[in-house]
Amino acid sequence: MDHITFLVAVVIVTALAFDFTNGFHDTANAMATSIATGALKPRTAVLVSGVLNVIGAFLSTEVAKTISGGIVDDGLVSPGMIFAGLVGAILWNLLTWLVGLPSSSSHALFGGLIGAVWVGAGSHGVHFDKVVEKILIPAVASPVVAGVAALIATYLAYRLTARARKDLVTKGFRLGQIASASLVSLAHGTNDAQKTMGVITLTLISAGALGHDAAPPVWVIASAGLAIGLGTYLGGWRIIRTMGKGLTEIQSPQGFAAETASTTVILTSAHLGFALSTTQVASGSILGAGLGRKLAEVRWGIAGRMVAAWLITLPAAALVGGVSASAVKHGGDFGTVVVALVGAAVAAGIVLVSRRNPVGAHNVNDAHEVTLRTEPSAPVGTAA
């Protein structure tokens, strides 16, 4: 029983480590456009986002229940399988962060968990009907819905303010962005922090510490909220640069429209228990905002790489999760230690490589590889 208790503790720590990477990987979802338009200073933006992510974690547990008792059979899952799935998710998060791609942390988690359970318990351990209903359909629909909403909102924003002084329009929408970006952060906490809550709850159920279909305990909610909040505060500056400067040239009306569309979609899905990707929602909103403004340039090459990352995230994480689960299943405690050491070594290597080309609050608004189209009007100022 002692070794099971130790393994459960290891899984919980690993889940919180994933939650931390989820935080800095997804900071851009809420704050990239506000940082790009100068509505918020970079450090202020990540602080606000981090605090609101923690608060959002306490607002709902519907998504957590989907993870803990929806996509896999909690009666067949073991802590070792969950650990293997988390390793796959963490490594994928770090790899896409290194190259600045806003891929889905949610799909990395789902993929790692599905791959690990499939190898560890067989295909009957995965509820594929729930995977389609709660994950795949929202993955396709949510960025489209958010993009169309942001496109319409952006078009209306420019039409309604066409005769107003541009400096007043910019100032007004920047103030609006502070509120809309804050709401995205709050919504992110209600959606993404719950995924780690669900994983920890699933671990406790599999170890017999909680009954089947149990809701996350308060300490699980609090620890998951704090982990994602801390990760958010550290800021995933590489991905913030891609979403704020890489996809399209963002002005304050577009930023406000994109953030408002993202908030609406994320909060609605969290209420319904859909574990969607906030990254895909935010990216879809930014693309829609880019298309909604005349003369705005959408960088389709970067958008294409993002979509490619979205498509391979779930199977790639599933592959790593499956391989890790095989090592844990056949190697026992030794296999678990090997997976942990290999995962830690790969993660450390990715972090070391990232230091060769650091991106932080001081240079997050640099143009990077993006060439922006020149317009007749004066450009919007950027944050320092």
Side-chain angles (χ1 to χ4, degrees), residues 20 24-25 91 93-101 234-239 241 345-360 362-363 368:
F20 177 81
F24 74 71
H25 198 279
L91 293 182
N93 267 359
L94 290 174
L95 180 62
T96 50
W97 162 76
L98 176 66
V99 297
L101 273 179
L234 291 182
W237 302 110
R238 293 171 180 275
I239 299 175
R241 175 188 281 187
V346 173
I350 292 173
V351 173
L352 289 175
V353 171
S354 73
R355 294 180 181 234
R356 297 177 182 176
N357 181 27
V359 179
H362 65 288
N363 65 349
H368 195 34

Side-chain angles (χ1 to χ4, degrees), residues 7 11 73-83 117 202-203 206-207 328:
L7 180 57
V11 174
D73 187 339
D74 59 17
L76 299 176
V77 174
S78 69
M81 296 178 202
I82 299 172
F83 170 73
V117 173
L202 180 60
T203 303
S206 69
V328 172

